Amino acid sequence: MDRLEFVNRWFNTDQFLSSGRAKLVAMDEEHAIVTMTIYPAILNIAGTVHGGALYTLADNVAGIAAAGDGRYYVTLNGGLNYLRSQREGQIRAEATVMHRGSSTCMINVNIYGDNNKLLATGDFNFFVANKKNGSRAPSKEVNNGAQA
C-alpha cells in the first residue's frame, strides 16, 4: 500500500477525521497539513473549539507526518499548549518532523486559526510499530478525495 492510500484509509476509518470536515492539504516525508472546518460537535460549553478536539487534530496530523517515511507509528506521548481558541471558520494543523530515529520520531505541531493566529503548539513522540506500510510516494501535494 502506498502512502497516499494509507492516509486515505486513515481518513476513511477515523471517526474524527471522516466527519467530512477535515482535509489533508499536503504531505511529504517530513511534513503534513490538515485543515478542519469548525462544527458544533467540537465546541465546548463556552462555544469555542474544545481543547480535546485540538489535541486530537494535533495527534492525527503528527501521526500522518511521522508516517511520511512509510512506516507505521503509534503515539508515545504528546503535549499541546493552548494559546487561544476560535468559535467558527477553519483551523489548520501543520506538523513537522524534528527528529526521526530508527525506532522513534519527534514531531512539532502548530495549529492556526483565522488570520494565521496560533491557537496551539506542541510536540508529539511516536514509536515505530512496524517496518513499512508501503512505498514512499514522491508527491508533496495530496488530496484525500475532497476539495482542499
Side-chain angles (χ1 to χ4, degrees):
M1 165 182 345
D2 71 17
R3 186 170 58 198
L4 180 56
E5 183 182 354
F6 170 71
V7 173
N8 281 331
R9 191 171 77 184
W10 189 333
F11 267 77
N12 291 329
T13 58
D14 182 282
Q15 298 226 355
F16 181 77
L17 294 176
S18 68
S19 69
R21 293 167 175 96
K23 308 284 184 264
L24 179 63
V25 176
M27 176 188 181
D28 62 31
E29 289 186 16
E30 304 294 322
H31 304 91
I33 300 173
V34 173
T35 60
M36 178 173 268
T37 301
I38 296 171
Y39 59 104
I42 65 170
L43 299 178
N44 62 22
I45 194 167
T48 61
V49 178
H50 192 285
L54 291 175
Y55 187 93
T56 301
L57 180 61
D59 184 41
N60 274 284
V61 74
I64 292 167
D69 72 347
R71 298 184 288 179
Y72 286 110
Y73 288 83
V74 294
T75 307
L76 282 172
N77 66 3
L80 196 63
N81 298 299
Y82 303 98
L83 306 172
R84 60 178 54 90
S85 195
Q86 188 168 305
R87 295 179 181 278
E88 57 187 16
Q90 288 265 330
I91 51 179
R92 182 181 79 253
E94 298 184 4
T96 303
V97 174
M98 304 307 289
H99 169 77
R100 188 183 300 281
S102 60
S103 62
T104 63
C105 185
M106 185 178 116
I107 312 289
N108 175 260
V109 177
N110 290 314
I111 300 176
Y112 299 94
D114 290 338
N115 301 315
N116 257 355
K117 289 187 176 179
L118 187 61
L119 303 180
T121 185
D123 293 307
F124 289 77
N125 293 295
F126 290 83
F127 179 75
V128 178
N130 79 340
K131 297 287 186 201
K132 290 283 183 183
N133 68 20
S135 63
R136 293 182 182 183
S139 175
K140 289 188 183 234
E141 298 296 320
V142 295
N143 189 317
N144 65 331
Q147 295 298 319

PDB file of all heavy atoms in Angstrom, residues 111-146:
ATOM      1  N   ILE A 111      -1.125  24.696  15.423  1.00  0.00           N
ATOM      2  CA  ILE A 111      -2.497  24.803  14.932  1.00  0.00           C
ATOM      3  C   ILE A 111      -2.831  26.283  14.825  1.00  0.00           C
ATOM      4  O   ILE A 111      -2.689  27.039  15.798  1.00  0.00           O
ATOM      5  CB  ILE A 111      -3.497  24.088  15.860  1.00  0.00           C
ATOM      6  CG1 ILE A 111      -3.141  22.609  15.970  1.00  0.00           C
ATOM      7  CG2 ILE A 111      -4.923  24.272  15.327  1.00  0.00           C
ATOM      8  CD1 ILE A 111      -4.015  21.829  16.931  1.00  0.00           C
ATOM      9  N   TYR A 112      -3.291  26.665  13.628  1.00  0.00           N
ATOM     10  CA  TYR A 112      -3.595  28.063  13.335  1.00  0.00           C
ATOM     11  C   TYR A 112      -5.086  28.240  13.101  1.00  0.00           C
ATOM     12  O   TYR A 112      -5.760  27.356  12.580  1.00  0.00           O
ATOM     13  CB  TYR A 112      -2.845  28.524  12.082  1.00  0.00           C
ATOM     14  CG  TYR A 112      -1.352  28.432  12.214  1.00  0.00           C
ATOM     15  CD1 TYR A 112      -0.672  27.304  11.764  1.00  0.00           C
ATOM     16  CD2 TYR A 112      -0.622  29.458  12.784  1.00  0.00           C
ATOM     17  CE1 TYR A 112       0.703  27.209  11.879  1.00  0.00           C
ATOM     18  CE2 TYR A 112       0.755  29.375  12.912  1.00  0.00           C
ATOM     19  CZ  TYR A 112       1.410  28.248  12.454  1.00  0.00           C
ATOM     20  OH  TYR A 112       2.776  28.155  12.577  1.00  0.00           O
ATOM     21  N   GLY A 113      -5.578  29.413  13.433  1.00  0.00           N
ATOM     22  CA  GLY A 113      -6.965  29.768  13.184  1.00  0.00           C
ATOM     23  C   GLY A 113      -7.043  30.892  12.175  1.00  0.00           C
ATOM     24  O   GLY A 113      -6.136  31.089  11.364  1.00  0.00           O
ATOM     25  N   ASP A 114      -8.142  31.639  12.255  1.00  0.00           N
ATOM     26  CA  ASP A 114      -8.339  32.776  11.361  1.00  0.00           C
ATOM     27  C   ASP A 114      -7.163  33.736  11.430  1.00  0.00           C
ATOM     28  O   ASP A 114      -6.554  33.923  12.492  1.00  0.00           O
ATOM     29  CB  ASP A 114      -9.625  33.520  11.736  1.00  0.00           C
ATOM     30  CG  ASP A 114     -10.868  32.716  11.406  1.00  0.00           C
ATOM     31  OD1 ASP A 114     -10.799  31.813  10.552  1.00  0.00           O
ATOM     32  OD2 ASP A 114     -11.921  32.989  12.020  1.00  0.00           O
ATOM     33  N   ASN A 115      -6.857  34.345  10.309  1.00  0.00           N
ATOM     34  CA  ASN A 115      -5.774  35.329  10.212  1.00  0.00           C
ATOM     35  C   ASN A 115      -4.433  34.765  10.652  1.00  0.00           C
ATOM     36  O   ASN A 115      -3.584  35.502  11.159  1.00  0.00           O
ATOM     37  CB  ASN A 115      -6.110  36.587  11.001  1.00  0.00           C
ATOM     38  CG  ASN A 115      -7.388  37.241  10.515  1.00  0.00           C
ATOM     39  OD1 ASN A 115      -7.582  37.378   9.314  1.00  0.00           O
ATOM     40  ND2 ASN A 115      -8.260  37.609  11.425  1.00  0.00           N
ATOM     41  N   ASN A 116      -4.242  33.463  10.480  1.00  0.00           N
ATOM     42  CA  ASN A 116      -2.975  32.801  10.827  1.00  0.00           C
ATOM     43  C   ASN A 116      -2.606  32.951  12.294  1.00  0.00           C
ATOM     44  O   ASN A 116      -1.429  32.867  12.651  1.00  0.00           O
ATOM     45  CB  ASN A 116      -1.836  33.304   9.948  1.00  0.00           C
ATOM     46  CG  ASN A 116      -1.480  32.326   8.863  1.00  0.00           C
ATOM     47  OD1 ASN A 116      -2.002  31.220   8.803  1.00  0.00           O
ATOM     48  ND2 ASN A 116      -0.596  32.737   7.996  1.00  0.00           N
ATOM     49  N   LYS A 117      -3.578  33.141  13.168  1.00  0.00           N
ATOM     50  CA  LYS A 117      -3.291  33.240  14.598  1.00  0.00           C
ATOM     51  C   LYS A 117      -3.007  31.859  15.163  1.00  0.00           C
ATOM     52  O   LYS A 117      -3.756  30.914  14.923  1.00  0.00           O
ATOM     53  CB  LYS A 117      -4.459  33.879  15.343  1.00  0.00           C
ATOM     54  CG  LYS A 117      -4.594  35.358  15.046  1.00  0.00           C
ATOM     55  CD  LYS A 117      -5.635  36.000  15.927  1.00  0.00           C
ATOM     56  CE  LYS A 117      -5.662  37.486  15.657  1.00  0.00           C
ATOM     57  NZ  LYS A 117      -6.675  38.159  16.463  1.00  0.00           N
ATOM     58  N   LEU A 118      -1.929  31.769  15.940  1.00  0.00           N
ATOM     59  CA  LEU A 118      -1.542  30.498  16.538  1.00  0.00           C
ATOM     60  C   LEU A 118      -2.499  30.162  17.682  1.00  0.00           C
ATOM     61  O   LEU A 118      -2.603  30.911  18.651  1.00  0.00           O
ATOM     62  CB  LEU A 118      -0.100  30.573  17.046  1.00  0.00           C
ATOM     63  CG  LEU A 118       0.520  29.283  17.553  1.00  0.00           C
ATOM     64  CD1 LEU A 118       0.581  28.223  16.456  1.00  0.00           C
ATOM     65  CD2 LEU A 118       1.920  29.568  18.099  1.00  0.00           C
ATOM     66  N   LEU A 119      -3.207  29.034  17.542  1.00  0.00           N
ATOM     67  CA  LEU A 119      -4.151  28.592  18.571  1.00  0.00           C
ATOM     68  C   LEU A 119      -3.483  27.668  19.577  1.00  0.00           C
ATOM     69  O   LEU A 119      -3.796  27.707  20.761  1.00  0.00           O
ATOM     70  CB  LEU A 119      -5.346  27.869  17.939  1.00  0.00           C
ATOM     71  CG  LEU A 119      -6.162  28.622  16.895  1.00  0.00           C
ATOM     72  CD1 LEU A 119      -7.295  27.738  16.382  1.00  0.00           C
ATOM     73  CD2 LEU A 119      -6.691  29.928  17.447  1.00  0.00           C
ATOM     74  N   ALA A 120      -2.598  26.807  19.086  1.00  0.00           N
ATOM     75  CA  ALA A 120      -1.946  25.820  19.957  1.00  0.00           C
ATOM     76  C   ALA A 120      -0.642  25.369  19.316  1.00  0.00           C
ATOM     77  O   ALA A 120      -0.486  25.403  18.095  1.00  0.00           O
ATOM     78  CB  ALA A 120      -2.868  24.622  20.180  1.00  0.00           C
ATOM     79  N   THR A 121       0.286  24.927  20.164  1.00  0.00           N
ATOM     80  CA  THR A 121       1.567  24.420  19.691  1.00  0.00           C
ATOM     81  C   THR A 121       2.028  23.313  20.620  1.00  0.00           C
ATOM     82  O   THR A 121       1.738  23.342  21.818  1.00  0.00           O
ATOM     83  CB  THR A 121       2.633  25.546  19.593  1.00  0.00           C
ATOM     84  OG1 THR A 121       3.821  25.005  19.014  1.00  0.00           O
ATOM     85  CG2 THR A 121       2.935  26.162  20.939  1.00  0.00           C
ATOM     86  N   GLY A 122       2.724  22.332  20.080  1.00  0.00           N
ATOM     87  CA  GLY A 122       3.189  21.244  20.931  1.00  0.00           C
ATOM     88  C   GLY A 122       4.075  20.265  20.207  1.00  0.00           C
ATOM     89  O   GLY A 122       4.386  20.428  19.025  1.00  0.00           O
ATOM     90  N   ASP A 123       4.479  19.246  20.950  1.00  0.00           N
ATOM     91  CA  ASP A 123       5.355  18.201  20.435  1.00  0.00           C
ATOM     92  C   ASP A 123       4.750  16.834  20.732  1.00  0.00           C
ATOM     93  O   ASP A 123       4.142  16.628  21.786  1.00  0.00           O
ATOM     94  CB  ASP A 123       6.737  18.288  21.085  1.00  0.00           C
ATOM     95  CG  ASP A 123       7.477  19.548  20.684  1.00  0.00           C
ATOM     96  OD1 ASP A 123       7.595  19.799  19.480  1.00  0.00           O
ATOM     97  OD2 ASP A 123       7.907  20.288  21.586  1.00  0.00           O
ATOM     98  N   PHE A 124       4.957  15.913  19.803  1.00  0.00           N
ATOM     99  CA  PHE A 124       4.472  14.542  19.929  1.00  0.00           C
ATOM    100  C   PHE A 124       5.614  13.592  19.608  1.00  0.00           C
ATOM    101  O   PHE A 124       6.407  13.848  18.706  1.00  0.00           O
ATOM    102  CB  PHE A 124       3.302  14.287  18.971  1.00  0.00           C
ATOM    103  CG  PHE A 124       2.046  14.988  19.382  1.00  0.00           C
ATOM    104  CD1 PHE A 124       1.886  16.351  19.167  1.00  0.00           C
ATOM    105  CD2 PHE A 124       1.031  14.295  20.006  1.00  0.00           C
ATOM    106  CE1 PHE A 124       0.744  17.000  19.564  1.00  0.00           C
ATOM    107  CE2 PHE A 124      -0.123  14.938  20.414  1.00  0.00           C
ATOM    108  CZ  PHE A 124      -0.269  16.293  20.191  1.00  0.00           C
ATOM    109  N   ASN A 125       5.693  12.509  20.352  1.00  0.00           N
ATOM    110  CA  ASN A 125       6.694  11.473  20.119  1.00  0.00           C
ATOM    111  C   ASN A 125       5.988  10.183  19.738  1.00  0.00           C
ATOM    112  O   ASN A 125       4.987   9.802  20.355  1.00  0.00           O
ATOM    113  CB  ASN A 125       7.542  11.247  21.369  1.00  0.00           C
ATOM    114  CG  ASN A 125       8.391  12.457  21.666  1.00  0.00           C
ATOM    115  OD1 ASN A 125       9.269  12.793  20.894  1.00  0.00           O
ATOM    116  ND2 ASN A 125       8.127  13.116  22.769  1.00  0.00           N
ATOM    117  N   PHE A 126       6.533   9.518  18.723  1.00  0.00           N
ATOM    118  CA  PHE A 126       5.944   8.300  18.192  1.00  0.00           C
ATOM    119  C   PHE A 126       6.957   7.175  18.215  1.00  0.00           C
ATOM    120  O   PHE A 126       8.160   7.410  18.123  1.00  0.00           O
ATOM    121  CB  PHE A 126       5.473   8.522  16.748  1.00  0.00           C
ATOM    122  CG  PHE A 126       4.288   9.429  16.646  1.00  0.00           C
ATOM    123  CD1 PHE A 126       4.447  10.805  16.651  1.00  0.00           C
ATOM    124  CD2 PHE A 126       3.013   8.904  16.577  1.00  0.00           C
ATOM    125  CE1 PHE A 126       3.364  11.646  16.573  1.00  0.00           C
ATOM    126  CE2 PHE A 126       1.917   9.737  16.507  1.00  0.00           C
ATOM    127  CZ  PHE A 126       2.084  11.115  16.507  1.00  0.00           C
ATOM    128  N   PHE A 127       6.441   5.957  18.306  1.00  0.00           N
ATOM    129  CA  PHE A 127       7.245   4.749  18.272  1.00  0.00           C
ATOM    130  C   PHE A 127       6.932   4.008  16.981  1.00  0.00           C
ATOM    131  O   PHE A 127       5.765   3.890  16.587  1.00  0.00           O
ATOM    132  CB  PHE A 127       6.922   3.861  19.477  1.00  0.00           C
ATOM    133  CG  PHE A 127       7.695   2.578  19.501  1.00  0.00           C
ATOM    134  CD1 PHE A 127       9.031   2.570  19.847  1.00  0.00           C
ATOM    135  CD2 PHE A 127       7.079   1.382  19.160  1.00  0.00           C
ATOM    136  CE1 PHE A 127       9.755   1.386  19.844  1.00  0.00           C
ATOM    137  CE2 PHE A 127       7.791   0.201  19.168  1.00  0.00           C
ATOM    138  CZ  PHE A 127       9.138   0.202  19.517  1.00  0.00           C
ATOM    139  N   VAL A 128       7.944   3.480  16.315  1.00  0.00           N
ATOM    140  CA  VAL A 128       7.754   2.710  15.094  1.00  0.00           C
ATOM    141  C   VAL A 128       7.119   1.368  15.469  1.00  0.00           C
ATOM    142  O   VAL A 128       7.690   0.602  16.238  1.00  0.00           O
ATOM    143  CB  VAL A 128       9.088   2.464  14.356  1.00  0.00           C
ATOM    144  CG1 VAL A 128       8.864   1.615  13.117  1.00  0.00           C
ATOM    145  CG2 VAL A 128       9.746   3.778  13.990  1.00  0.00           C
ATOM    146  N   ALA A 129       5.947   1.100  14.911  1.00  0.00           N
ATOM    147  CA  ALA A 129       5.230  -0.131  15.241  1.00  0.00           C
ATOM    148  C   ALA A 129       5.533  -1.264  14.263  1.00  0.00           C
ATOM    149  O   ALA A 129       5.257  -2.408  14.554  1.00  0.00           O
ATOM    150  CB  ALA A 129       3.726   0.138  15.280  1.00  0.00           C
ATOM    151  N   ASN A 130       6.078  -0.953  13.090  1.00  0.00           N
ATOM    152  CA  ASN A 130       6.460  -1.982  12.128  1.00  0.00           C
ATOM    153  C   ASN A 130       7.504  -1.418  11.174  1.00  0.00           C
ATOM    154  O   ASN A 130       7.884  -0.258  11.264  1.00  0.00           O
ATOM    155  CB  ASN A 130       5.254  -2.512  11.362  1.00  0.00           C
ATOM    156  CG  ASN A 130       4.826  -1.585  10.251  1.00  0.00           C
ATOM    157  OD1 ASN A 130       5.154  -0.402  10.241  1.00  0.00           O
ATOM    158  ND2 ASN A 130       4.083  -2.105   9.299  1.00  0.00           N
ATOM    159  N   LYS A 131       7.927  -2.221  10.239  1.00  0.00           N
ATOM    160  CA  LYS A 131       8.971  -1.784   9.307  1.00  0.00           C
ATOM    161  C   LYS A 131       8.444  -0.801   8.274  1.00  0.00           C
ATOM    162  O   LYS A 131       8.900   0.303   8.160  1.00  0.00           O
ATOM    163  CB  LYS A 131       9.583  -2.992   8.604  1.00  0.00           C
ATOM    164  CG  LYS A 131      10.273  -3.935   9.538  1.00  0.00           C
ATOM    165  CD  LYS A 131      11.563  -3.335  10.020  1.00  0.00           C
ATOM    166  CE  LYS A 131      12.305  -4.373  10.839  1.00  0.00           C
ATOM    167  NZ  LYS A 131      13.264  -3.811  11.720  1.00  0.00           N
ATOM    168  N   LYS A 132       7.463  -1.205   7.469  1.00  0.00           N
ATOM    169  CA  LYS A 132       6.971  -0.361   6.380  1.00  0.00           C
ATOM    170  C   LYS A 132       5.472  -0.534   6.210  1.00  0.00           C
ATOM    171  O   LYS A 132       4.937  -1.603   6.371  1.00  0.00           O
ATOM    172  CB  LYS A 132       7.636  -0.724   5.047  1.00  0.00           C
ATOM    173  CG  LYS A 132       9.086  -0.367   4.948  1.00  0.00           C
ATOM    174  CD  LYS A 132       9.234   1.103   4.703  1.00  0.00           C
ATOM    175  CE  LYS A 132      10.699   1.460   4.530  1.00  0.00           C
ATOM    176  NZ  LYS A 132      10.919   2.859   4.353  1.00  0.00           N
ATOM    177  N   ASN A 133       4.785   0.572   5.838  1.00  0.00           N
ATOM    178  CA  ASN A 133       3.369   0.473   5.498  1.00  0.00           C
ATOM    179  C   ASN A 133       3.179   0.514   3.989  1.00  0.00           C
ATOM    180  O   ASN A 133       2.088   0.423   3.500  1.00  0.00           O
ATOM    181  CB  ASN A 133       2.536   1.568   6.179  1.00  0.00           C
ATOM    182  CG  ASN A 133       2.816   2.962   5.659  1.00  0.00           C
ATOM    183  OD1 ASN A 133       3.341   3.138   4.569  1.00  0.00           O
ATOM    184  ND2 ASN A 133       2.487   3.960   6.439  1.00  0.00           N
ATOM    185  N   GLY A 134       4.236   0.725   3.254  1.00  0.00           N
ATOM    186  CA  GLY A 134       4.143   0.784   1.805  1.00  0.00           C
ATOM    187  C   GLY A 134       5.297   1.574   1.237  1.00  0.00           C
ATOM    188  O   GLY A 134       6.230   1.930   1.937  1.00  0.00           O
ATOM    189  N   SER A 135       5.202   1.851  -0.033  1.00  0.00           N
ATOM    190  CA  SER A 135       6.282   2.578  -0.692  1.00  0.00           C
ATOM    191  C   SER A 135       6.215   4.056  -0.368  1.00  0.00           C
ATOM    192  O   SER A 135       5.191   4.578   0.042  1.00  0.00           O
ATOM    193  CB  SER A 135       6.177   2.373  -2.202  1.00  0.00           C
ATOM    194  OG  SER A 135       4.967   2.918  -2.664  1.00  0.00           O
ATOM    195  N   ARG A 136       7.318   4.714  -0.566  1.00  0.00           N
ATOM    196  CA  ARG A 136       7.356   6.162  -0.385  1.00  0.00           C
ATOM    197  C   ARG A 136       6.802   6.816  -1.638  1.00  0.00           C
ATOM    198  O   ARG A 136       7.299   6.613  -2.724  1.00  0.00           O
ATOM    199  CB  ARG A 136       8.781   6.635  -0.163  1.00  0.00           C
ATOM    200  CG  ARG A 136       9.354   6.155   1.126  1.00  0.00           C
ATOM    201  CD  ARG A 136      10.738   6.694   1.298  1.00  0.00           C
ATOM    202  NE  ARG A 136      11.291   6.172   2.536  1.00  0.00           N
ATOM    203  CZ  ARG A 136      12.468   6.516   2.997  1.00  0.00           C
ATOM    204  NH1 ARG A 136      13.212   7.374   2.360  1.00  0.00           N
ATOM    205  NH2 ARG A 136      12.904   6.017   4.122  1.00  0.00           N
ATOM    206  N   ALA A 137       5.774   7.604  -1.456  1.00  0.00           N
ATOM    207  CA  ALA A 137       5.197   8.312  -2.594  1.00  0.00           C
ATOM    208  C   ALA A 137       5.922   9.637  -2.771  1.00  0.00           C
ATOM    209  O   ALA A 137       6.180  10.332  -1.806  1.00  0.00           O
ATOM    210  CB  ALA A 137       3.701   8.554  -2.351  1.00  0.00           C
ATOM    211  N   PRO A 138       6.295   9.994  -3.995  1.00  0.00           N
ATOM    212  CA  PRO A 138       7.077  11.206  -4.200  1.00  0.00           C
ATOM    213  C   PRO A 138       6.266  12.485  -4.110  1.00  0.00           C
ATOM    214  O   PRO A 138       6.829  13.555  -3.944  1.00  0.00           O
ATOM    215  CB  PRO A 138       7.616  11.020  -5.629  1.00  0.00           C
ATOM    216  CG  PRO A 138       6.609  10.152  -6.303  1.00  0.00           C
ATOM    217  CD  PRO A 138       6.094   9.249  -5.215  1.00  0.00           C
ATOM    218  N   SER A 139       4.948  12.408  -4.196  1.00  0.00           N
ATOM    219  CA  SER A 139       4.128  13.621  -4.245  1.00  0.00           C
ATOM    220  C   SER A 139       4.136  14.405  -2.943  1.00  0.00           C
ATOM    221  O   SER A 139       4.003  13.843  -1.875  1.00  0.00           O
ATOM    222  CB  SER A 139       2.683  13.235  -4.601  1.00  0.00           C
ATOM    223  OG  SER A 139       1.868  14.355  -4.542  1.00  0.00           O
ATOM    224  N   LYS A 140       4.253  15.731  -3.054  1.00  0.00           N
ATOM    225  CA  LYS A 140       4.203  16.592  -1.877  1.00  0.00           C
ATOM    226  C   LYS A 140       2.787  17.098  -1.628  1.00  0.00           C
ATOM    227  O   LYS A 140       2.429  17.448  -0.539  1.00  0.00           O
ATOM    228  CB  LYS A 140       5.157  17.769  -2.019  1.00  0.00           C
ATOM    229  CG  LYS A 140       6.601  17.344  -1.920  1.00  0.00           C
ATOM    230  CD  LYS A 140       7.494  18.535  -1.869  1.00  0.00           C
ATOM    231  CE  LYS A 140       8.917  18.075  -1.834  1.00  0.00           C
ATOM    232  NZ  LYS A 140       9.677  18.590  -0.771  1.00  0.00           N
ATOM    233  N   GLU A 141       2.000  17.202  -2.646  1.00  0.00           N
ATOM    234  CA  GLU A 141       0.626  17.671  -2.526  1.00  0.00           C
ATOM    235  C   GLU A 141      -0.306  16.492  -2.762  1.00  0.00           C
ATOM    236  O   GLU A 141      -0.179  15.801  -3.756  1.00  0.00           O
ATOM    237  CB  GLU A 141       0.324  18.778  -3.534  1.00  0.00           C
ATOM    238  CG  GLU A 141       1.163  20.012  -3.344  1.00  0.00           C
ATOM    239  CD  GLU A 141       0.906  20.703  -2.024  1.00  0.00           C
ATOM    240  OE1 GLU A 141      -0.247  20.793  -1.599  1.00  0.00           O
ATOM    241  OE2 GLU A 141       1.878  21.163  -1.404  1.00  0.00           O
ATOM    242  N   VAL A 142      -1.216  16.270  -1.841  1.00  0.00           N
ATOM    243  CA  VAL A 142      -2.147  15.160  -1.971  1.00  0.00           C
ATOM    244  C   VAL A 142      -3.547  15.662  -1.679  1.00  0.00           C
ATOM    245  O   VAL A 142      -3.748  16.712  -1.090  1.00  0.00           O
ATOM    246  CB  VAL A 142      -1.803  13.990  -1.014  1.00  0.00           C
ATOM    247  CG1 VAL A 142      -0.475  13.378  -1.397  1.00  0.00           C
ATOM    248  CG2 VAL A 142      -1.802  14.453   0.413  1.00  0.00           C
ATOM    249  N   ASN A 143      -4.521  14.876  -2.078  1.00  0.00           N
ATOM    250  CA  ASN A 143      -5.907  15.224  -1.814  1.00  0.00           C
ATOM    251  C   ASN A 143      -6.611  13.954  -1.386  1.00  0.00           C
ATOM    252  O   ASN A 143      -6.514  12.932  -2.048  1.00  0.00           O
ATOM    253  CB  ASN A 143      -6.545  15.793  -3.092  1.00  0.00           C
ATOM    254  CG  ASN A 143      -7.897  16.375  -2.833  1.00  0.00           C
ATOM    255  OD1 ASN A 143      -8.696  15.782  -2.101  1.00  0.00           O
ATOM    256  ND2 ASN A 143      -8.183  17.507  -3.427  1.00  0.00           N
ATOM    257  N   ASN A 144      -7.335  14.009  -0.279  1.00  0.00           N
ATOM    258  CA  ASN A 144      -7.985  12.820   0.256  1.00  0.00           C
ATOM    259  C   ASN A 144      -9.389  12.627  -0.290  1.00  0.00           C
ATOM    260  O   ASN A 144     -10.247  12.093   0.374  1.00  0.00           O
ATOM    261  CB  ASN A 144      -8.001  12.854   1.786  1.00  0.00           C
ATOM    262  CG  ASN A 144      -8.839  13.992   2.311  1.00  0.00           C
ATOM    263  OD1 ASN A 144      -8.962  15.018   1.666  1.00  0.00           O
ATOM    264  ND2 ASN A 144      -9.405  13.831   3.478  1.00  0.00           N
ATOM    265  N   GLY A 145      -9.614  13.075  -1.504  1.00  0.00           N
ATOM    266  CA  GLY A 145     -10.895  12.838  -2.140  1.00  0.00           C
ATOM    267  C   GLY A 145     -11.842  14.012  -2.036  1.00  0.00           C
ATOM    268  O   GLY A 145     -12.919  13.990  -2.604  1.00  0.00           O
ATOM    269  N   ALA A 146     -11.476  15.056  -1.330  1.00  0.00           N
ATOM    270  CA  ALA A 146     -12.327  16.230  -1.204  1.00  0.00           C
ATOM    271  C   ALA A 146     -11.515  17.459  -1.574  1.00  0.00           C
ATOM    272  O   ALA A 146     -10.296  17.432  -1.578  1.00  0.00           O
ATOM    273  CB  ALA A 146     -12.850  16.363   0.227  1.00  0.00           C
TER     274      ALA A 146
END
